[in-house]
């Protein structure tokens, strides 16, 4: 019997986690099944327990259940504790043992930036958005010793709240928050769009002066083509623009390592996923 894993969410049809985990498993000769599991908004815990009782060994968790996944686990990694959210659950074989929760989103972003040769030490970083994704990546980004991280959000109170909460992890880094319209007029080395705005072709109101020849623009959203945020940065002379596909693959690789004790090579799976997304887009055109 192959080991059973799943990704749980609502909606879930769009998820490409099965493709990624099955590709990792083929690469390392591991026999597993990995399915998509839809759960009703008020039925997360029940769905998790049923999957576990049916022999499930682990789960990835996506919108809107990451906070509930964190609450459900009796043991948690430090990075899940920091994020107060979990995207990975581990079910020990014995149901007497508690569920373990981890959050691999932040390390996924940091590993993707490293994959592209980006070093954050001494750099100025701007993060747009102060939701769950920003919460998950803040501590790992601070761990890279940037000179500054500015969190800008539509509702500035959420940005201020995150800054206060993570101030103890800031060290020498200048960590501050502001409203989206209040971003200071100066160049950043890295601008991360951690809002879902690109998914509806919306662009946060940003001054042109944020981007220059040394700027890397990173959109956590991804699609068959460059997002509107990536296009905006490219038109203003950004050094490099990246989408969140690499982060998705890297966070999956971290979950996979946790479950199977082996680290897959992410490079070929990035290519596979890019091809799959482009093929799906071509078919709907
Ligand atoms: P949340 O819903 O938790 O937070 C969304 C944030 O974006 C909030 O700060 C919200 O502001 C802001 N926002 C929403 N819409 C707009 C808009 N139109 N203009 C400006 N700001 C806006 O979402 P998450 O943080 O969980 O996810 C953010 C994005 O990151 C999503 O697109 C998600 O798919 C992506 N993501 C990608 C991953 C990957 O592996 N590539 C992993 C995790 C997330 P306010 O507080 O004012 O409402």
């Amino acid at each position: 019997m192959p080991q059973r894993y799943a990704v749980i969410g609502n909606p879930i049809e769009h998820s490409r986690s099965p493709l990624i985990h099955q590709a990792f498993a083929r690469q390392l000769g591991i026999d597993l099944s990995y399915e998509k599991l839809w759960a009703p908004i008020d039925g997360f815990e029940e769905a998790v327990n049923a999957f576990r009782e049916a022999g499930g060994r682990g789960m990835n968790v996506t919108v809107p259940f990451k906070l509930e996944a964190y609450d459900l686990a009796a043991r948690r990694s430090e990075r899940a504790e920091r994020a107060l959210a979990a995207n990975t659950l581990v079910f020990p074989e014995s149901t007497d043992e508690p569920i373990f929760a981890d959050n691999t989103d932040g390390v996924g972003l940091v590993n993707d930036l490293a994959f592209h040769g980006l070093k954050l030490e001494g750099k100025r970083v701007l993060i747009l958005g102060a939701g769950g994704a920003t919460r998950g990546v803040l501590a790992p980004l601070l761990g890279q010793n940037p000179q500054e991280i500015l969190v800008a959000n539509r509702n500035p109170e959420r940005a201020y709240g995150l800054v206060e909460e993570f101030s103890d992890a800031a060290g020498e880094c200048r960590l501050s928050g502001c409203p989206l319209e209040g971003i200071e007029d100066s160049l950043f080395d890295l601008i991360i769009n951690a809002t879902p705005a690109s998914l509806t072709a919306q662009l946060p109101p940003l001054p042109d002066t944020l981007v220059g020849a040394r700027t890397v623009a990173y959109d956590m959203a991804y699609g068959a083509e460059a997002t509107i945020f990536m296009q905006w940065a490219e038109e203003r002379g950004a050094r490099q623009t990246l989408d969140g596909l690499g982060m998705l693959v890297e966070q999956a690789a971290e979950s996979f390592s946790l479950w199977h004790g082996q680290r897959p090579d992410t490079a070929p799976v990035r290519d596979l996923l890019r091809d799959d997304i482009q093929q799906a887009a071509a078919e709907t055109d």
Side-chain angles (χ1 to χ4, degrees):
M1 278 287 280
Q3 295 177 34
R4 275 186 82 189
Y5 294 86
V7 56
I8 187 167
N10 180 341
I12 198 62
E13 241 346 280
H14 67 285
S15 174
R16 286 189 162 79
S17 291
L19 179 82
I20 298 172
H21 280 270
Q22 279 151 7
F24 288 160
R26 274 197 305 278
Q27 199 187 90
L28 292 166
I30 293 172
D31 189 19
L32 62 76
S33 77
Y34 189 109
E35 60 208 80
K36 294 178 197 174
L37 201 59
W38 177 90
I41 297 297
D42 60 355
F44 173 73
E45 186 169 347
E46 214 178 325
V48 171
N49 289 336
F51 183 74
R52 187 181 185 190
E53 277 157 27
R57 299 299 307 278
M59 254 183 189
N60 284 125
V61 181
T62 187
V63 176
F65 298 127
K66 290 185 186 182
L67 303 183
E68 274 184 80
Y70 173 85
D71 287 338
L72 185 64
R75 284 195 315 126
R76 300 154 183 149
S77 67
E78 202 182 317
R79 50 200 188 190
E81 295 276 3
R82 259 295 178 193
L84 298 177
N87 73 338
T88 308
L89 296 176
V90 182
F91 308 133
E93 223 165 336
S94 156
T95 43
D96 294 338
E97 280 185 58
I99 297 174
F100 176 74
D102 197 359
N103 189 316
T104 65
D105 282 337
V107 70
L109 173 64
V110 166
N111 287 350
D112 190 35
L113 293 173
F115 181 89
H116 291 286
L118 299 177
K119 293 193 173 70
L120 296 188
E121 185 153 7
K123 300 286 167 59
R124 301 190 68 221
V125 180
L126 169 64
I127 306 179
L128 310 171
T134 299
R135 173 182 282 286
V137 303
L138 257 181
L141 287 177
L142 286 166
Q144 302 296 301
N145 301 319
Q147 180 196 110
E148 175 181 357
I149 296 183
L150 174 63
V151 181
N153 197 43
R154 196 167 56 179
N155 169 0
E157 295 308 322
R158 288 183 84 185
Y160 302 141
L162 278 187
V163 165
E164 197 180 323
E165 197 180 318
F166 283 82
S167 58
D168 64 322
E172 301 286 297
C173 175
R174 191 178 141 221
L175 177 63
S176 59
C178 71
L180 269 182
E181 304 74 24
I183 302 170
E184 59 187 276
D185 247 359
S186 61
L187 267 185
F188 283 86
D189 299 293
L190 174 64
I191 306 176
I192 300 170
N193 184 9
T195 78
S198 293
L199 298 175
T200 48
Q202 286 177 290
L203 194 62
L206 302 170
D208 290 348
T209 47
L210 302 181
V211 180
R214 65 169 206 240
T215 307
V216 175
Y218 191 106
D219 201 335
M220 285 195 190
Y222 55 86
E225 285 165 13
T227 67
I228 184 170
F229 169 74
M230 290 162 72
Q231 290 170 31
W232 171 84
E234 223 159 81
E235 284 159 13
R236 278 147 193 85
R239 174 161 74 89
Q240 195 175 8
T241 60
L242 298 165
D243 71 8
L245 181 143
M247 175 177 174
L248 179 73
V249 175
E250 291 295 341
Q251 62 78 27
E254 197 72 14
S255 300
F256 190 94
S257 306
L258 189 68
W259 291 329
H260 306 290
Q262 290 186 75
R263 196 162 186 89
D265 178 6
T266 55
V269 181
R270 288 165 179 266
D271 294 342
L272 178 81
L273 189 59
R274 186 72 70 193
D275 287 351
D276 183 69
I277 289 170
Q278 279 166 354
Q279 198 179 329
E283 280 165 14
T284 54
D285 273 352

